[in-house]
Amino acid sequence: MLGLKLYMAQRLSAMVMIPLTLGHIAVMIYAIQGGLSAAEILGRTKGSVLWFLYYGLFVLSVSLHASIGLRVIVHETLGLKGRALEIFMWLSGLLLLAMGLRALVAVTL
Amino acid sequence: MIRPHRSHPLWIAYLLHRLSGLGLALFLPVHFHVLAFALNQPERLDGFLRFADNPLVKLAEFGLVFLLAVHVFGGLRLLALEFLPWSPRQKTLAASAVAAAFLVAGTFFLQAV
Amino acid sequence: MTTIERHDTDILILGTGGAGMFAALHALQSAPAGTKVTIAVKGLIGKCGCTRMVQGGYNVALGHGDTVERHFMDTINGGKWLPNQDMAWRLCEQAVVRVRELENEIGCFFDRNADGTLHHKAFAGQTADRTVHKGDLTGIEIINRLMEQVLSRPVEKLQEHRAIGLIPTKDGSALAGVLMIDMRTGRFRFVRAKTVLMATGGGPTMYKYHTPSGDKTMDGLAMALRAGLPLRDMEMVQFHPTGLLAGDHTKMTGTVLEEGLRGAGGQLLNGAERRFMFDYDARGERATRDVVSRGIYAEMQKSNTSSNGGVYIKMSHLGPEMVRQKFSGMVKRCADSGFDLAGGLVEVVPTAHYFMGGVVVDTDTRTEMEGLYVAGEDAGGAHGSNRLGGNGVANSTVYGGVAGDVMGMDIRRMGALRDPDENVLDAEIARACQPLGHKPANIQDLRHRLQEAMWEDVGVIRTGRGMRRGIDRVAQISDELAVSGVASSNLAFNLTWHDWLNLRSLCDISEVIAEAGLARENSRGAHYREDFPEQGDLDSSYFTVARQRGGDIEVSREPVQFTIVRPGETILPAGEPETLVEAS
Amino acid sequence: MQEMDVSVWRGDANGGGLEHFKVPARDSQTILDVVAWIQQHADPTLSYRYACRVGMCGSCAMMVNGVPRWTCRTHVKTVLKDNAITIAPLRNLPVIKDLAADMDPFFDKWVAAGGVHHPTRTRDEPIEILDPKTPERVETDTGIECINCSVCYAACDTVSNNVDFLGPAALQRAWTLYLDPKDADPNAILDAVSGKGGCHNCHSQGSCTLHCPNGLNPMKAIAGLKRATVSSFFKGGR
Ligand SMILES: Cc1cc2nc3c(=O)[nH]c(=O)nc-3n(C[C@H](O)[C@H](O)[C@H](O)COP(=O)(O)OP(=O)(O)OC[C@H]3O[C@@H](n4cnc5c(N)ncnc54)[C@H](O)[C@@H]3O)c2cc1C
Ligand code: HEM
Ligand code: SF4
Ligand code: F3S
Ligand code: FES
């Protein structure tokens, strides 16, 4: 159920996310250690092009990566296939993308 | 569920990777949703973050970071297996990935309490 | 109760060893477009038969100064002047083409020297290094590659279809088709074909100790015998000296421990743990297969045996580490059945390995019966009284290919499919159903008894008296078999029914082996008679031809035609050295 | 004489269940011997398959205590637990009857994975001079001695979960063929293993490699194919 193209998309997006997620965990550890409040965090992220690009890239990658991952799981455990499977993948990807973008806007704009 | 032919480190690593990936995929929309409060209801976000001081919630958060760490290091292992020259020490790598996940998530947890 | 499904094809091939698979591929190449090729096999395609079990390798004159002439002379000398010389010649000549075909078209990769040329190893009894191989699993490489080719082509597959009868036309002039049992359902199927290749691979598994795969039980030769075809060299059973001995209850018993063990310096010890081979031959353990087999058999007759009744092979004096490294496959195999080959003693016994006898064919694989072709171990003539190590797989692949070519050509001059003699068809069905009407009995016990009888009375060392006794014992078992039943409630995949049919074929051919053995009053190659130990006059060499007339086996002697070379002569150019193999 | 408790799966495509037998224990005894003993002495209708009895033909694989194994080379001692053994037909394949599985899907996929040589020469040409020590050849040698026993295929959960997945053995064969300098069409092989059941569906569960009785490493071969398809993706924009 996974051809070369989807495989490439999933692996490339995973590679992109490696530094992003590791960075994110590091930031969170730092933030918690510093006892930052939400307002303080937002103060640093809002209006920052850098953070916008950082989390924007993450949202794009994760939508791609997770929707393909879910597609695999759903096919292998529930036996969904054909069009239904395509639709499922696209819907889950778009849902993640929409919700991710909404959060992105809230946090960085 | 774990039948005899599956009881070996690489299969367990596969299972962990799948469960962590699935867990993340289910949690991430929730996380995004909470963050989106920052847009129109900053006070609810703050309330949420205060709520997050609750030890139970801390544990849940630790769980999520743990999932992420397990998945990331497991993913790194898989990418190495698939794209780097072959190493016969796959079991060691799988174990190291889990160890690294514990290390990172543990650090997070210690910082958080 | 007997519904019979009818089925038509153009070219039908029985068996998927080297012979059957090459025949299928060549038939597809040579037959006119649109010809239907069907392959029927007792097991799964490519997964049964002995070609897959080839370890040593494939004889071919392709290097080291070797020539087809030299390969031919070794084959004739090895066969003690009994081979059909034209068949032996074609074997040696075409082996060159076949190995190139295997490498270049089929996709095999045989081991190379450091400079990239083919590696040839020396097999005992040959005067050149000529055996190409892939490690010591040559058969797997050959059959897997052939299997891929066959599976990916439009060949009709009848797997787990066991041929049980060759059905002639009403006037008996030609073959109409083959009766089979679809083993999975237990139903009969009659397949008509214009040409049929029989490549079911003989298999002397009527001996207590034997190497061939379990599916080989002389079905082909038994069918040919019933169809009235002449069988030659039927007394010639090749024994391998070192079969594993682990008791009657395990199928591991009889399987080959490779020749190389003795070559590397392995020692054979009798029950008293004393070396004995030098009592029989100056070369000790390194003597040829037949000599070593006889040495062990003689030691066994003197009751100087190991606990299970054989002798021991010892490797440990060569250093267990070295043995583990050099013979890792063998060491592992022994370990799987609980023996320590590298460090301890392993019990061995001579084991029936290959059957030189077979249907009389011409060099184009044609038989007396129009429409029937025979190749591989089922065909007699190429090896005479002894087969060189490495000539078995050469023979099956060469003549399988020839059969494919010839059938593809012959089919052009054949008109419609032939109609079978329904009486023969009914009789064959009745024969197969015979046990279903009797009270169930233990077929395995009968098989053991047959194997004991053949081993003791028609085995490695024979006498007239022994063989006559053997014939009586076989007849007795045969009679008991006739009234031994098989529970018939469910015939689908009913192995016990097939055990019965296997034993039927084995009994029929055992009798022929013993009769042919009686008819040969000298000792040649694999056939050794204590009462006639001399090889006899070479110039008046004869081969035996057996056929069934009425209920009886008639054996005649026919003079060998020295069409290419006479005893005492050679076709090698003057001044050629006797051997190209460096003495080690 | 000491006896063992042996449970054997009986049935056919329509279903079935375990039946129990007492089998005498012997010194040198393989699982295949146990099965044969039952057929020869206890229940003549028991169906199973074997041919070579020495680990060369790959006809005799079954599930032994839930693990796929070649039965002719599995000594009873190595698997006996509490004096009991459970034997069932090979997993992931349709059952024909009792312990005999239908291996056709396994071989269909072998062919579908492109596992057949594309010639560059004919039988009338000399055999190619080839260095046996190139990295490609050395790698091929580690994967070529497959006996197509389907043990890896039975061990792999991706095979059970994804009907299209070509499976470890077929993909390993494709890999050895891809490495073969004699093969005329390596790209056809990459295409064949890049479809919806191709190498990219393997999750590196590693059960194939763990259970292969011949010590082959299909997991590694599949990783090789993944790498080869990816680099051809970047190079050729396939
Ligand atoms: C352990 C071992 C090692 C050997 N090593 C070597 C070696 O190193 N070099 C060498 O040259 N030779 C070797 N030989 C001999 C060689 O394997 C055979 O000579 C050769 O392979 C025979 O090929 P074949 O095609 O005639 O028969 P096989 O390969 O035996 O094939 C016979 C086929 O016919 C099928 N069949 C049988 N009965 C029926 C039936 N009733 N209906 C339908 N199908 C049927 C079988 O299932 C099988 O598919 C060895 C043999 C053995 C047993
Ligand atoms: C940051 C780094 C990440 C890396 C390196 C990574 C790597 C991978 C890899 C290599 C796979 C393929 C596994 C396989 O086919 O067996 C995979 C699957 C998956 N990933 Fe990730 N991933 C990452 C982040 C994420 C995130 C953040 C999510 C969730 C939102 C996620 C969800 C999934 C899912 C659901 C699967 C499918 C699991 C399966 O098929 O078993 N991944 N990941
Ligand atoms: S790779 Fe191993 S387990 Fe798989 S079919 Fe080949 S020999 Fe059997
Ligand atoms: S077990 Fe299956 S998932 Fe891949 S590594 Fe082997 S093929
Ligand atoms: S019977 Fe051939 S591998 Fe077991």
Side-chain angles (χ1 to χ4, degrees):
Chain A
M1 274 297 125
L2 209 56
L4 176 58
K5 291 210 172 87
L6 287 179
Y7 169 85
M8 288 301 303
Q10 200 194 28
R11 294 316 192 255
L12 287 176
S13 56
M15 287 183 208
V16 168
M17 282 190 297
I18 292 169
L20 299 182
T21 44
L22 288 178
H24 180 72
I25 295 179
V27 168
M28 285 302 118
I29 290 177
Y30 169 79
I32 293 174
Q33 192 181 31
L36 295 183
S37 72
E40 283 167 311
I41 298 178
L42 287 180
R44 297 196 189 179
T45 55
K46 272 211 179 284
S48 157
V49 181
L50 229 60
W51 283 119
F52 177 78
L53 290 179
Y54 188 102
Y55 283 111
L57 191 56
F58 177 77
V59 166
L60 282 179
S61 310
V62 85
S63 312
L64 195 61
H65 178 88
S67 57
I68 298 173
L70 289 174
R71 167 198 173 97
V72 171
I73 296 181
V74 162
H75 173 68
E76 290 189 8
T77 50
L78 304 180
L80 208 63
K81 52 180 185 273
R83 268 183 61 132
L85 187 63
E86 302 295 329
I87 291 171
F88 170 83
M89 176 179 73
W90 280 98
L91 278 185
S92 58
L94 289 174
L95 183 75
L96 270 171
L97 189 65
M99 296 190 71
L101 287 179
R102 196 161 67 109
L104 179 69
V105 167
V107 174
T108 63
L109 285 186
Chain B
M1 152 147 214
I2 296 188
R3 294 210 258 146
H5 73 275
R6 296 175 177 146
S7 53
H8 61 99
L10 294 191
W11 192 87
I12 303 210
Y14 147 80
L15 184 68
L16 277 180
H17 195 74
R18 171 154 292 188
L19 292 179
S20 59
L22 188 62
L24 287 173
L26 295 179
F27 155 74
L28 209 58
V30 179
H31 186 60
F32 284 153
H33 187 62
V34 170
L35 286 175
F37 290 151
L39 187 61
N40 27 33
Q41 296 149 299
E43 62 293 344
R44 276 188 60 190
L45 180 67
D46 245 344
F48 182 80
L49 285 181
R50 223 173 297 113
F51 164 71
D53 275 340
N54 182 321
L56 248 174
V57 179
K58 278 237 160 72
L59 206 69
E61 243 177 84
F62 162 75
L64 290 170
V65 175
F66 181 59
L67 281 189
L68 187 62
V70 165
H71 193 82
V72 172
F73 287 107
L76 269 168
R77 173 188 78 90
L78 285 171
L79 292 172
L81 184 162
E82 290 179 346
F83 297 124
L84 297 182
W86 178 262
S87 151
R89 296 161 54 193
Q90 291 303 328
K91 286 182 200 164
T92 318
L93 286 177
S96 321
V98 174
F102 267 103
L103 194 74
V104 169
T107 315
F108 175 83
F109 186 61
L110 288 180
Q111 298 296 348
V113 285
Chain C
M1 57 151 274
T2 47
T3 51
I4 157 164
E5 287 159 33
R6 296 194 184 233
H7 197 91
D8 288 341
T9 186
D10 294 315
I11 296 180
L12 174 65
I13 291 160
L14 306 179
T16 60
M21 301 242 250
F22 257 109
L25 294 175
H26 278 228
L28 287 172
Q29 290 160 12
S30 65
T35 303
K36 185 168 166 196
V37 178
T38 300
I39 202 159
V41 57
K42 202 172 177 180
L44 300 180
I45 288 185
K47 293 177 79 66
C48 45
C50 292
T51 309
R52 192 178 245 286
M53 298 166 74
V54 165
Q55 300 183 305
Y58 191 125
N59 282 348
V60 59
L62 261 176
H64 302 276
D66 196 11
T67 56
V68 172
E69 284 78 6
R70 185 176 282 282
H71 185 184
F72 170 80
M73 284 309 298
D74 284 351
T75 302
I76 299 298
N77 278 316
K80 301 287 183 277
W81 294 91
L82 294 192
N84 173 316
Q85 298 196 346
D86 296 322
M87 285 180 73
W89 176 259
R90 191 153 192 202
L91 164 65
C92 301
E93 192 188 35
Q94 287 296 307
V96 175
V97 181
R98 206 61 87 234
V99 166
R100 285 201 306 248
E101 184 177 354
L102 280 166
E103 264 268 343
N104 295 350
E105 297 180 27
I106 309 295
C108 292
F109 179 89
F110 296 111
D111 282 357
R112 297 296 207 269
N113 298 308
D115 67 0
T117 55
L118 274 189
H119 181 257
H120 296 258
K121 65 181 177 191
F123 236 137
Q126 308 197 28
T127 66
D129 295 347
R130 71 161 63 96
T131 310
V132 298
H133 60 109
K134 176 82 192 82
D136 58 1
L137 296 175
T138 313
I140 293 179
E141 176 76 1
I142 292 177
I143 286 293
N144 275 358
R145 302 295 80 84
L146 282 169
M147 176 192 85
E148 294 161 3
Q149 297 285 344
V150 168
L151 289 178
S152 60
R153 283 181 163 70
V155 177
E156 184 185 45
K157 296 166 220 144
L158 298 175
Q159 300 193 89
E160 290 175 333
H161 274 61
R162 171 199 192 123
I164 55 169
L166 302 172
I167 314 297
T169 54
K170 196 144 212 149
D171 61 2
S173 65
L175 183 66
V178 178
L179 177 66
M180 330 188 173
I181 297 173
D182 175 347
M183 299 167 70
R184 295 179 181 178
T185 62
R187 281 201 284 272
F188 290 97
R189 175 165 282 150
F190 175 65
V191 181
R192 287 197 304 170
K194 292 175 188 162
T195 64
V196 174
L197 173 67
M198 191 168 89
T200 62
T205 53
M206 67 284 279
Y207 287 89
K208 186 172 175 187
Y209 309 109
H210 58 259
T211 68
S213 76
D215 47 302
K216 297 222 300 188
T217 52
M218 293 284 183
D219 293 346
L221 295 188
M223 291 192 293
L225 185 72
R226 282 202 303 284
L229 290 161
L231 309 177
R232 62 171 286 174
D233 299 323
M234 292 296 284
E235 69 278 24
M236 299 300 179
V237 181
Q238 183 172 63
F239 285 83
H240 194 290
T242 52
L244 183 67
L245 176 59
D248 286 347
H249 60 276
T250 174
K251 292 189 190 297
M252 279 274 175
T253 287
T255 58
V256 169
L257 293 188
E258 71 183 60
E259 203 105 62
L261 295 173
R262 285 181 295 120
Q267 297 179 350
L268 294 171
L269 312 178
N270 62 17
E273 299 193 15
R274 189 184 70 81
R275 269 179 102 177
F276 59 87
M277 265 317 295
F278 286 99
D279 303 351
Y280 301 95
D281 195 286
R283 290 164 296 178
E285 285 87 353
R286 293 191 194 187
T288 49
R289 276 183 192 176
D290 50 336
V291 174
V292 179
S293 295
R294 282 199 287 276
I296 298 175
Y297 194 83
E299 207 65 15
M300 290 166 69
Q301 284 182 328
K302 293 186 211 154
S303 292
N304 295 337
T305 58
S306 59
S307 50
N308 276 310
V311 300
Y312 297 110
I313 188 163
K314 179 173 131 195
M315 302 301 294
S316 55
H317 58 285
L318 302 171
E321 260 330 298
M322 180 291 235
V323 178
R324 248 185 288 276
Q325 206 185 338
K326 187 160 178 211
F327 298 102
S328 60
M330 279 293 136
V331 171
K332 198 168 164 274
R333 192 192 286 179
C334 287
D336 285 347
S337 41
F339 303 108
D340 178 10
L341 178 64
L345 298 179
V346 176
E347 284 182 79
V348 294
V349 72
T351 175
H353 187 47
Y354 184 88
F355 198 63
M356 273 75 72
V359 180
V360 174
V361 291
D362 68 12
T363 54
D364 280 337
T365 73
R366 294 192 186 95
T367 65
E368 236 180 54
M369 185 185 256
E370 163 93 352
L372 179 68
Y373 303 72
V374 178
E377 203 172 322
D378 273 346
H383 310 297
S385 69
N386 212 351
R387 170 187 70 96
L388 296 183
N391 265 5
V393 58
N395 178 59
S396 63
T397 52
V398 162
Y399 280 107
V402 168
D405 292 337
V406 173
M407 288 190 297
M409 298 309 291
D410 283 1
I411 203 166
R412 293 163 201 266
R413 63 171 172 76
M414 294 182 180
L417 287 161
R418 308 175 195 98
D419 283 323
D421 182 335
E422 296 288 337
N423 291 331
V424 179
L425 195 55
D426 290 344
E428 285 288 345
I429 291 176
R431 210 184 61 88
C433 290
Q434 193 182 358
L436 307 180
H438 288 283
K439 192 165 142 286
N442 190 323
I443 309 297
Q444 193 59 24
D445 286 348
L446 279 179
R447 173 123 178 214
H448 274 307
R449 277 171 53 201
L450 175 71
Q451 291 178 328
E452 293 280 353
M454 290 300 284
W455 172 253
E456 287 163 10
D457 290 333
V458 199
V460 180
I461 297 176
R462 303 165 174 176
T463 63
R465 244 184 62 210
M467 286 188 282
R468 273 185 290 273
R469 183 173 55 226
I471 291 172
D472 289 343
R473 289 170 77 180
V474 171
Q476 169 76 29
I477 294 163
S478 209
D479 290 346
E480 285 183 42
L481 182 66
V483 294
S484 296
V486 169
S488 55
S489 57
N490 183 0
L491 293 181
F493 227 118
N494 188 325
L495 296 183
T496 307
W497 186 24
H498 291 284
D499 285 346
W500 190 96
L501 291 163
N502 289 343
L503 192 52
R504 185 71 268 157
S505 300
L506 289 173
C507 283
D508 294 352
I509 296 303
S510 295
E511 183 188 350
V512 184
I513 293 176
E515 293 285 1
L518 278 175
R520 172 168 298 284
E521 297 189 324
N522 58 32
S523 294
R524 291 274 178 108
H527 175 76
Y528 183 84
R529 282 185 68 161
E530 236 168 2
D531 46 356
F532 294 97
E534 302 303 326
Q535 67 173 6
D537 177 34
L538 289 181
D539 280 312
S540 55
S541 295
Y542 57 87
F543 59 95
T544 63
V545 177
R547 47 164 101 216
Q548 193 173 52
R549 274 195 226 279
D552 294 329
I553 307 296
E554 285 175 11
V555 183
S556 57
R557 298 174 178 177
E558 293 197 13
V560 176
Q561 305 294 322
F562 302 113
T563 51
I564 297 176
V565 62
R566 299 199 61 81
E569 295 172 359
T570 175
I571 57 167
L572 293 180
E576 271 282 303
E578 179 104 345
T579 175
L580 303 173
V581 180
E582 285 160 40
S584 61
Chain D
M1 192 183 303
Q2 175 95 24
E3 289 188 328
M4 303 173 286
D5 297 314
V6 181
S7 307
V8 177
W9 194 91
R10 305 296 303 277
D12 55 24
N14 302 317
L18 292 176
E19 279 180 20
H20 307 282
F21 299 91
K22 294 263 184 215
V23 178
R26 310 296 293 263
D27 263 351
S28 310
Q29 189 177 30
T30 63
I31 296 297
L32 179 62
D33 293 327
V34 169
V35 171
W37 188 92
I38 295 174
Q39 179 245 329
Q40 288 162 1
H41 297 97
D43 185 342
T45 63
L46 178 65
S47 308
Y48 57 99
R49 185 187 289 123
Y50 82 98
C52 72
R53 72 213 153 99
V54 287
M56 292 181 103
C57 71
S59 307
C60 66
M62 300 167 200
M63 303 302 287
V64 181
N65 292 342
V67 171
R69 292 179 178 276
W70 53 4
T71 55
C72 69
R73 291 273 302 264
T74 300
H75 198 291
V76 165
K77 274 187 200 128
T78 59
V79 291
L80 197 64
K81 259 199 220 112
D82 303 325
N83 202 39
I85 313 170
T86 304
I87 307 172
L90 211 53
R91 199 172 157 259
N92 289 343
L93 290 168
V95 180
I96 296 177
K97 184 169 171 282
D98 300 342
L99 300 172
D102 179 359
M103 296 187 75
D104 280 355
F106 176 84
F107 287 104
D108 291 347
K109 289 177 176 180
W110 187 289
V111 173
V116 65
H117 178 69
H118 312 92
T120 41
R121 296 185 176 204
T122 71
R123 64 195 79 162
D124 302 321
E125 292 165 85
I127 286 170
E128 207 166 329
I129 308 269
L130 287 172
D131 180 356
K133 287 278 174 280
T134 59
E136 289 78 15
R137 190 61 230 176
V138 172
E139 167 83 6
T140 303
D141 282 335
T142 66
I144 202 71
E145 285 172 1
C146 172
I147 58 169
N148 18 77
C149 62
S150 214
V151 161
C152 54
Y153 190 82
C156 174
D157 283 340
T158 307
V159 170
S160 355
N161 296 338
N162 179 349
V163 286
D164 297 314
F165 183 46
L166 296 170
L171 289 169
Q172 174 171 257
R173 171 58 186 141
W175 173 236
T176 59
L177 204 53
Y178 174 74
L179 293 172
D180 188 350
K182 288 193 302 183
D183 196 89
D185 202 354
N187 286 329
I189 299 165
L190 292 188
D191 283 345
V193 300
S194 296
K196 63 178 184 175
C199 62
H200 307 106
N201 293 277
C202 157
H203 301 297
S204 307
Q205 287 171 7
S207 302
C208 50
T209 297
L210 181 75
H211 294 290
C212 172
N214 277 318
L216 307 188
N217 195 343
M219 173 167 63
K220 178 185 180 196
I222 294 173
L225 280 179
K226 288 175 179 167
R227 222 174 307 137
T229 51
V230 167
S231 54
S232 111
F233 180 85
F234 283 124
K235 275 190 215 125
R238 302 179 135 259

